[in-house]
Amino acid sequence: MLTVLAPGARTLVQDLGRAGQYAIGLPPSGALDQYSHCCANLLVGNDETAATLEITMIGPELRFAEPAIVAVTGGEAEISIDGTRAECWQTLSADAGQVLRIGTLRTGCHAYLAVRGGIATELFLGSRSTYQSSAIGSPLASGDTLPIGDETDGFCPGEGSTVDPRLRPALGGHQPLRLVEGLCRYRFTDESVREFFSSTFTVSAESDRTGRRLIGPALRFVDREAPFGAGDNPSNVVDLGYPVGSVQVPNGEEAICLLRDAVTGGGYATIGTVVTADLDVLAQLKAPDTVRFVPVSLDQAVAARRESRDRLDHVRRGLRLLSLY
């Protein structure tokens, strides 16, 4: 069991998400940076579906009731166990009664804390993920206790095991985001689409788990007579589904890339969808980081997803190889 001594700025229980509920209007939620979440679980020998703590900007202070194996991945922060400095992206051990402190993130926007066995809060529709908009879970508060489960995969890396720096994600700065043009691309003028792909966008401070707001050039729409049910605003369409990663441009003024807590559908035209592999990158960006969009085909998007999975396989194999020495 973990006792929360200080909750940090915003610390949530998240797993890989609540899949299969779009029909009832429920988004998947889950870790925004799925790669870092999975790496944290691999470092402690958990199943990758086990719940971790997603930390935003400032980390929590936690006391262990029993000995534990832990790891912190994602954004880099100063961490310590009972005052002794420890490293991110490494398998760590803590004794009963010891306190883990995670400070302010120096890079990135989110860090992920995994405990061997997983955070065993109550399941809802097959997931432990927090979705505050529907009051499914809530941020940690001082005095909370978190049970530890048994979602391990039978293998546990030894203390000091680490993920090769070459396999860790790029955090912050200027990042390219690959995007597949969407069904509503026809609503934008060709000139605006060219400008969209040639411009730099700045991450707005008004961003959260619902979406990253991106400040850039205003986009223009093709003139039309509004169809019944679409509304008069040129950015409106008759309702359509919003996949995670879709980029809408309300009124043409601000691009918003929808993330894992976004609504499942609505009436804004979407210019395209950021490929799954790059959503982890976007999740770690904060103001005033910048992005540019790179058009790719559906086949290229599938290949990018395959490369991301291969990268995680390299992490998995690397940790098992380290255990031989």
Side-chain angles (χ1 to χ4, degrees):
M1 185 178 72
L2 291 175
T3 299
V4 180
L5 303 179
R10 190 164 182 258
T11 305
L12 307 174
V13 176
Q14 299 290 357
D15 54 25
L16 289 180
R18 194 169 283 107
Q21 305 301 327
Y22 262 47
I24 61 172
L26 192 63
S29 300
L32 289 183
D33 181 351
Q34 301 249 307
Y35 180 82
S36 292
H37 160 89
C38 289
C39 285
N41 274 325
L42 289 173
L43 280 165
V44 300
N46 282 349
D47 189 283
E48 290 163 35
T49 62
T52 63
L53 295 181
E54 180 179 85
I55 294 154
T56 302
M57 299 309 297
I58 301 173
E61 186 174 321
L62 309 164
R63 178 183 290 120
F64 298 93
E66 56 270 320
I69 304 296
V70 300
V72 179
T73 63
E76 295 279 347
E78 184 171 313
I79 61 177
S80 65
I81 298 175
D82 261 15
T84 300
R85 184 172 178 176
E87 296 296 326
C88 295
W89 292 90
Q90 192 171 108
T91 305
L92 307 170
S93 64
D95 294 327
Q98 288 192 313
V99 173
L100 170 68
R101 294 179 178 86
I102 303 174
T104 301
L105 271 63
R106 297 187 295 266
T107 61
C109 190
H110 302 288
Y112 293 85
L113 167 65
V115 181
R116 181 163 173 79
I119 306 298
T121 51
E122 187 175 353
L123 287 165
F124 179 77
L125 294 176
S127 170
R128 306 184 200 279
S129 287
T130 301
Y131 178 48
Q132 284 185 263
S133 295
S134 290
I136 302 171
S138 60
L140 297 192
S142 296
D144 284 350
T145 57
L146 299 171
I148 305 302
D150 58 0
E151 296 182 61
T152 63
D153 69 358
F155 165 78
C156 185
E159 185 175 358
S161 297
T162 187
V163 173
D164 188 322
R166 292 171 296 182
L167 296 173
R168 300 177 192 179
L171 300 171
H174 178 72
Q175 298 289 342
L177 299 176
R178 290 165 289 187
L179 178 137
V180 178
E181 293 184 32
L183 295 175
C184 294
R185 186 261 182 241
Y186 75 96
R187 287 293 304 119
F188 300 85
T189 66
D190 289 341
E191 182 183 359
S192 274
V193 173
R194 285 193 294 271
E195 188 173 17
F196 176 80
F197 285 117
S198 63
S199 298
T200 294
F201 291 79
T202 301
V203 177
S204 168
E206 296 181 12
S207 297
D208 56 21
R209 285 184 51 87
T210 297
R212 287 290 186 270
R213 292 179 177 268
L214 303 168
I215 303 167
L219 302 186
R220 294 165 297 284
F221 296 88
V222 173
D223 292 335
R224 58 117 195 234
E225 181 179 342
F228 177 77
D232 294 332
N233 190 291
S235 65
N236 290 155
V237 294
V238 179
D239 283 3
L240 74 160
Y242 292 152
V244 174
S246 56
V247 178
Q248 59 179 218
V249 194
N251 206 36
E253 295 174 351
E254 185 178 54
I256 303 172
C257 183
L258 301 180
L259 298 178
R260 299 184 67 85
D261 279 2
V263 294
T264 58
Y268 289 120
T270 54
I271 194 168
T273 302
V274 174
V275 304
T276 303
D278 288 351
L279 289 178
D280 294 339
V281 174
L282 179 59
Q284 291 288 8
L285 300 181
K286 57 184 182 295
D289 292 333
T290 58
V291 303
R292 62 181 176 87
F293 292 99
V294 179
V296 295
S297 67
L298 184 58
D299 285 344
Q300 289 172 312
V302 172
R305 182 171 61 184
R306 188 180 305 115
E307 290 168 5
S308 181
R309 290 174 176 172
D310 288 346
R311 195 156 151 251
L312 200 58
D313 282 340
H314 284 308
V315 173
R316 190 179 295 109
R317 289 196 295 269
L319 289 173
R320 289 185 178 272
L321 185 62
L322 280 173
S323 70
L324 301 176
Y325 294 93

